[in-house]
Each structure stands twice: as C-alpha cells, then as structure tokens.
Amino acid sequence: MNPETSGELVGPAFADDIEQVLISRERIQDRLRELAAEITRDYAGERVLLVGVLKGAFMVMADLARYVDLPVEVDFMAVSSYGSATKTSGVVRILKDLERDIADYHVLVVEDIVDSGLTLKYLLRNLAARGPRSLEVVALLAKPGSPPAELRVRYQGFEVPDVFVVGYGLDYAERYRNLDCIATLAPAVYSS
Ligand code: IMP
Ligand code: MG
C-alpha cells in the first residue's frame, strides 16, 4: 500500500493484502457527518426508520446513526446477491426481513455500495410495496455510471473507480469488513 496517497497506515493484519487506501477513515467520517446533517435537517419532526442492508452496511449504519441528531429507529435486512465472487448475479434473496410494518415510517435504506444497482432495485421495489410514508437511499459508495436513473440515491458519500473495493463493511470472501477505510486489494489476494 501507499501511505503517501492514503495519509494512513493499515494495521499489520491487513498491510500485506492492501494495495491502496482509496478513502481514509477520516474522510469517511467527515462525509458521514455531512450526510447526517442533511438527514437531520430533511427529516426533522418525522418518524424515521433507518434500514441497514446487511452485512455490508453495518459500519455505515453504526456511524451514520450516531451522527444523525433525530430519534430514529433502526432495523436491518439481509439480502444475498453475491457468492464470494466479485460480480453480481442479479439474483437477490431476502435472508432476513424487517421486524416491523413500515407504513408509518419515513424509510431510509442504508447501503454500503451501489454497483450494478440490482440489489437496490429489488429492495426498493420490495419496500415500496409495503407503503412507507417515503423511501430514500443513503449509500456510502457508488461506482461510476451507477445507479440507473430510476434508482435515485438521495444521500451519496463517494464515487469510487470501477474496481473492487473492500473495507468499512465491504468484504472479499467475507474478509476485510473490519478495515476502517476503503481500499483495493493486492492482486495476489485474488490468486491465492
Ligand atoms: P449491486 O447489486 O451490483 O449494486 O451490488 C450490491 C452489493 O454487492 C453491495 O451491497 C455489496 O455487498 C456488493 N458489492 C458491489 N461492489 C462491491 C465492491 O467493490 N466490493 C465489495 N462488495 C461489493
Ligand atoms: Mg458483499
């Protein structure tokens, strides 16, 4: 990895596997504070449910929820759209559903990354059918060219290049989720 461009060192557990830090911990936190301030303004006085999409969104959810200065409620869904490969299959399965009816809530879906948008498209259609008061999306990351026009991400953190990234909730074969920054992996990781 390159500490010069990242301004940050990765701990020894990951140092050998990381090629480059694309977004440092500090930039992620600064951006989440900005998005949270917008959300705090936009939803003042409303009943808000943050819906985290497991597993990738667990870190965004934890930090964003703390920065939002509203009495929000929190719930999670788990969906599966990937194996351990790096390309989406387009097939989305709900592995864990919400624990409540969302008709009385302004729902904000919290996502780690929007790539092809297939996962989000499925989720939004599914949630919209339950008749929430409103339905919007927060996504920490988006790849270029995404999402399709009908998938409006109201609160977006960063655009990343069209490469596979890990960290801050995002995995490769279930690892690297606990990195506190967004990074690319060294080619050797994929071939081993
Ligand atoms: P989409 O359906 O192609 O938009 O992909 C959505 C899901 O795929 C995300 O919520 C992630 O879990 C996963 N994903 C997409 N791109 C990446 C990546 O670059 N790194 C890790 N996971 C990714
Ligand atoms: Mg994943």
Side-chain angles (χ1 to χ4, degrees):
M1 65 155 276
N2 182 351
E4 214 75 276
T5 51
S6 70
E8 184 168 31
L9 288 165
V10 171
F14 294 116
D16 290 345
D17 293 357
I18 297 305
E19 183 178 67
Q20 193 187 357
V21 175
L22 297 182
I23 309 172
S24 68
R25 179 174 65 97
E26 195 181 9
R27 284 181 66 210
I28 293 172
Q29 298 301 321
D30 286 350
R31 186 70 186 120
L32 288 180
R33 279 196 201 89
E34 289 174 2
L35 294 177
E38 283 180 45
I39 292 166
T40 301
R41 262 198 319 274
D42 296 347
Y43 289 89
E46 306 291 0
R47 191 170 187 194
V48 178
L49 180 66
L50 301 179
V51 173
V53 184
L54 294 172
K55 290 176 264 189
F58 83 101
M59 279 215 190
V60 193
M61 176 65 110
D63 286 334
L64 185 77
R66 277 179 281 193
Y67 295 141
V68 171
D69 191 15
L70 295 172
V72 300
E73 293 175 45
V74 171
D75 206 341
F76 290 94
M77 287 180 80
V79 299
S80 150
S81 62
Y82 267 57
S84 60
T86 59
K87 280 288 167 219
T88 196
S89 64
V91 178
V92 179
R93 273 193 309 146
I94 292 185
L95 306 175
K96 180 213 173 297
D97 208 342
L98 299 175
E99 290 169 3
R100 47 161 82 53
D101 189 345
I102 59 173
D104 290 339
Y105 292 91
H106 291 272
V107 170
L108 251 177
V109 175
V110 180
E111 264 282 24
D112 51 358
I113 187 167
V114 180
D115 183 2
S116 70
L118 284 169
T119 309
L120 191 58
K121 188 177 176 184
Y122 172 87
L123 259 180
L124 290 181
R125 207 192 303 129
N126 185 288
L127 291 173
R130 308 181 195 189
R133 288 189 185 165
S134 69
L135 184 57
E136 298 287 352
V137 179
V138 193
L140 180 69
L141 305 175
K143 299 242 174 117
S146 70
E150 74 270 22
L151 299 181
R152 205 165 60 89
V153 175
R154 181 154 173 195
Y155 307 96
Q156 189 190 300
F158 302 93
E159 186 170 289
V160 287
D162 197 10
V163 294
F164 196 78
V165 294
V166 297
Y168 202 74
L170 291 155
D171 72 303
Y172 172 65
E174 293 302 325
R175 297 179 71 177
Y176 310 103
R177 292 191 197 275
N178 61 326
L179 263 176
D180 62 5
C181 55
I182 298 292
T184 54
L185 288 172
V189 174
Y190 297 109
S191 49
S192 65

PDB file of all heavy atoms in Angstrom, residues 55-56 81-83 85 112 164 169-172 174 177, ligand 2:
ATOM      1  N   LYS A  55     -24.699  -7.694   4.937  1.00  0.00           N
ATOM      2  CA  LYS A  55     -23.872  -7.320   6.071  1.00  0.00           C
ATOM      3  C   LYS A  55     -23.102  -6.033   5.807  1.00  0.00           C
ATOM      4  O   LYS A  55     -22.630  -5.391   6.717  1.00  0.00           O
ATOM      5  CB  LYS A  55     -22.873  -8.456   6.364  1.00  0.00           C
ATOM      6  CG  LYS A  55     -23.534  -9.696   6.931  1.00  0.00           C
ATOM      7  CD  LYS A  55     -22.521 -10.836   7.111  1.00  0.00           C
ATOM      8  CE  LYS A  55     -22.621 -11.720   5.900  1.00  0.00           C
ATOM      9  NZ  LYS A  55     -21.853 -12.991   6.019  1.00  0.00           N
ATOM     10  N   GLY A  56     -22.973  -5.680   4.524  1.00  0.00           N
ATOM     11  CA  GLY A  56     -22.077  -4.598   4.138  1.00  0.00           C
ATOM     12  C   GLY A  56     -22.304  -3.258   4.811  1.00  0.00           C
ATOM     13  O   GLY A  56     -21.372  -2.493   5.013  1.00  0.00           O
ATOM     14  N   SER A  81     -26.781 -11.274  -2.826  1.00  0.00           N
ATOM     15  CA  SER A  81     -26.765 -11.106  -4.276  1.00  0.00           C
ATOM     16  C   SER A  81     -25.430 -11.550  -4.853  1.00  0.00           C
ATOM     17  O   SER A  81     -25.236 -11.555  -6.048  1.00  0.00           O
ATOM     18  CB  SER A  81     -27.021  -9.649  -4.658  1.00  0.00           C
ATOM     19  OG  SER A  81     -26.011  -8.833  -4.140  1.00  0.00           O
ATOM     20  N   TYR A  82     -24.525 -11.960  -3.986  1.00  0.00           N
ATOM     21  CA  TYR A  82     -23.189 -12.352  -4.415  1.00  0.00           C
ATOM     22  C   TYR A  82     -22.883 -13.725  -3.845  1.00  0.00           C
ATOM     23  O   TYR A  82     -23.457 -14.112  -2.850  1.00  0.00           O
ATOM     24  CB  TYR A  82     -22.153 -11.395  -3.806  1.00  0.00           C
ATOM     25  CG  TYR A  82     -21.789 -10.223  -4.670  1.00  0.00           C
ATOM     26  CD1 TYR A  82     -22.763  -9.349  -5.131  1.00  0.00           C
ATOM     27  CD2 TYR A  82     -20.467  -9.985  -5.008  1.00  0.00           C
ATOM     28  CE1 TYR A  82     -22.426  -8.269  -5.917  1.00  0.00           C
ATOM     29  CE2 TYR A  82     -20.132  -8.908  -5.791  1.00  0.00           C
ATOM     30  CZ  TYR A  82     -21.105  -8.046  -6.249  1.00  0.00           C
ATOM     31  OH  TYR A  82     -20.767  -6.984  -7.017  1.00  0.00           O
ATOM     32  N   GLY A  83     -21.979 -14.437  -4.440  1.00  0.00           N
ATOM     33  CA  GLY A  83     -21.346 -15.544  -3.726  1.00  0.00           C
ATOM     34  C   GLY A  83     -20.142 -14.935  -3.075  1.00  0.00           C
ATOM     35  O   GLY A  83     -20.223 -13.881  -2.450  1.00  0.00           O
ATOM     36  N   ALA A  85     -17.713 -14.311  -5.124  1.00  0.00           N
ATOM     37  CA  ALA A  85     -17.108 -13.741  -6.328  1.00  0.00           C
ATOM     38  C   ALA A  85     -17.248 -12.225  -6.302  1.00  0.00           C
ATOM     39  O   ALA A  85     -17.840 -11.667  -5.395  1.00  0.00           O
ATOM     40  CB  ALA A  85     -17.794 -14.304  -7.572  1.00  0.00           C
ATOM     41  N   ASP A 112     -24.055   0.066   1.641  1.00  0.00           N
ATOM     42  CA  ASP A 112     -22.610   0.266   1.565  1.00  0.00           C
ATOM     43  C   ASP A 112     -22.208   0.816   0.200  1.00  0.00           C
ATOM     44  O   ASP A 112     -21.553   1.833   0.086  1.00  0.00           O
ATOM     45  CB  ASP A 112     -21.853  -1.040   1.877  1.00  0.00           C
ATOM     46  CG  ASP A 112     -22.349  -2.244   1.058  1.00  0.00           C
ATOM     47  OD1 ASP A 112     -23.316  -2.098   0.270  1.00  0.00           O
ATOM     48  OD2 ASP A 112     -21.777  -3.332   1.214  1.00  0.00           O
ATOM     49  N   PHE A 164     -12.830  -3.330  -7.652  1.00  0.00           N
ATOM     50  CA  PHE A 164     -13.375  -3.969  -6.463  1.00  0.00           C
ATOM     51  C   PHE A 164     -12.725  -3.381  -5.222  1.00  0.00           C
ATOM     52  O   PHE A 164     -11.503  -3.308  -5.123  1.00  0.00           O
ATOM     53  CB  PHE A 164     -13.146  -5.483  -6.520  1.00  0.00           C
ATOM     54  CG  PHE A 164     -14.001  -6.236  -5.548  1.00  0.00           C
ATOM     55  CD1 PHE A 164     -15.337  -6.472  -5.829  1.00  0.00           C
ATOM     56  CD2 PHE A 164     -13.477  -6.681  -4.346  1.00  0.00           C
ATOM     57  CE1 PHE A 164     -16.144  -7.148  -4.923  1.00  0.00           C
ATOM     58  CE2 PHE A 164     -14.272  -7.363  -3.432  1.00  0.00           C
ATOM     59  CZ  PHE A 164     -15.609  -7.601  -3.722  1.00  0.00           C
ATOM     60  N   GLY A 169     -17.006  -2.412   6.091  1.00  0.00           N
ATOM     61  CA  GLY A 169     -18.206  -3.206   5.868  1.00  0.00           C
ATOM     62  C   GLY A 169     -18.156  -4.069   4.616  1.00  0.00           C
ATOM     63  O   GLY A 169     -18.812  -5.104   4.538  1.00  0.00           O
ATOM     64  N   LEU A 170     -17.386  -3.612   3.620  1.00  0.00           N
ATOM     65  CA  LEU A 170     -17.328  -4.352   2.355  1.00  0.00           C
ATOM     66  C   LEU A 170     -16.313  -5.490   2.429  1.00  0.00           C
ATOM     67  O   LEU A 170     -15.199  -5.308   2.926  1.00  0.00           O
ATOM     68  CB  LEU A 170     -16.936  -3.404   1.221  1.00  0.00           C
ATOM     69  CG  LEU A 170     -17.994  -2.369   0.861  1.00  0.00           C
ATOM     70  CD1 LEU A 170     -17.353  -1.160   0.216  1.00  0.00           C
ATOM     71  CD2 LEU A 170     -19.020  -2.983  -0.060  1.00  0.00           C
ATOM     72  N   ASP A 171     -16.706  -6.620   1.873  1.00  0.00           N
ATOM     73  CA  ASP A 171     -15.851  -7.798   2.001  1.00  0.00           C
ATOM     74  C   ASP A 171     -15.325  -8.301   0.681  1.00  0.00           C
ATOM     75  O   ASP A 171     -15.872  -8.015  -0.398  1.00  0.00           O
ATOM     76  CB  ASP A 171     -16.646  -8.947   2.632  1.00  0.00           C
ATOM     77  CG  ASP A 171     -17.680  -9.530   1.643  1.00  0.00           C
ATOM     78  OD1 ASP A 171     -18.520  -8.756   1.151  1.00  0.00           O
ATOM     79  OD2 ASP A 171     -17.613 -10.738   1.360  1.00  0.00           O
ATOM     80  N   TYR A 172     -14.281  -9.090   0.780  1.00  0.00           N
ATOM     81  CA  TYR A 172     -13.928 -10.026  -0.280  1.00  0.00           C
ATOM     82  C   TYR A 172     -13.882 -11.391   0.401  1.00  0.00           C
ATOM     83  O   TYR A 172     -13.104 -11.565   1.356  1.00  0.00           O
ATOM     84  CB  TYR A 172     -12.568  -9.688  -0.908  1.00  0.00           C
ATOM     85  CG  TYR A 172     -12.104 -10.773  -1.863  1.00  0.00           C
ATOM     86  CD1 TYR A 172     -12.815 -11.034  -3.031  1.00  0.00           C
ATOM     87  CD2 TYR A 172     -10.990 -11.557  -1.574  1.00  0.00           C
ATOM     88  CE1 TYR A 172     -12.424 -12.048  -3.887  1.00  0.00           C
ATOM     89  CE2 TYR A 172     -10.590 -12.565  -2.428  1.00  0.00           C
ATOM     90  CZ  TYR A 172     -11.319 -12.809  -3.576  1.00  0.00           C
ATOM     91  OH  TYR A 172     -10.934 -13.815  -4.418  1.00  0.00           O
ATOM     92  N   GLU A 174     -15.818 -12.555   2.521  1.00  0.00           N
ATOM     93  CA  GLU A 174     -16.168 -12.338   3.936  1.00  0.00           C
ATOM     94  C   GLU A 174     -15.068 -11.708   4.782  1.00  0.00           C
ATOM     95  O   GLU A 174     -15.255 -11.496   5.988  1.00  0.00           O
ATOM     96  CB  GLU A 174     -16.655 -13.636   4.609  1.00  0.00           C
ATOM     97  CG  GLU A 174     -17.999 -14.127   4.059  1.00  0.00           C
ATOM     98  CD  GLU A 174     -19.117 -13.086   4.210  1.00  0.00           C
ATOM     99  OE1 GLU A 174     -19.131 -12.341   5.204  1.00  0.00           O
ATOM    100  OE2 GLU A 174     -19.970 -13.013   3.290  1.00  0.00           O
ATOM    101  N   ARG A 177     -13.986  -6.734   6.170  1.00  0.00           N
ATOM    102  CA  ARG A 177     -15.098  -5.873   6.579  1.00  0.00           C
ATOM    103  C   ARG A 177     -14.699  -4.941   7.720  1.00  0.00           C
ATOM    104  O   ARG A 177     -15.253  -3.856   7.875  1.00  0.00           O
ATOM    105  CB  ARG A 177     -16.295  -6.712   7.044  1.00  0.00           C
ATOM    106  CG  ARG A 177     -16.987  -7.508   5.953  1.00  0.00           C
ATOM    107  CD  ARG A 177     -18.312  -8.062   6.480  1.00  0.00           C
ATOM    108  NE  ARG A 177     -18.849  -9.140   5.656  1.00  0.00           N
ATOM    109  CZ  ARG A 177     -19.605  -8.964   4.567  1.00  0.00           C
ATOM    110  NH1 ARG A 177     -19.899  -7.757   4.168  1.00  0.00           N
ATOM    111  NH2 ARG A 177     -20.056  -9.997   3.889  1.00  0.00           N
TER     112      ARG A 177
HETATM  113 MG    MG B   2     -20.714  -8.433  -0.199  1.00  0.00          MG
END
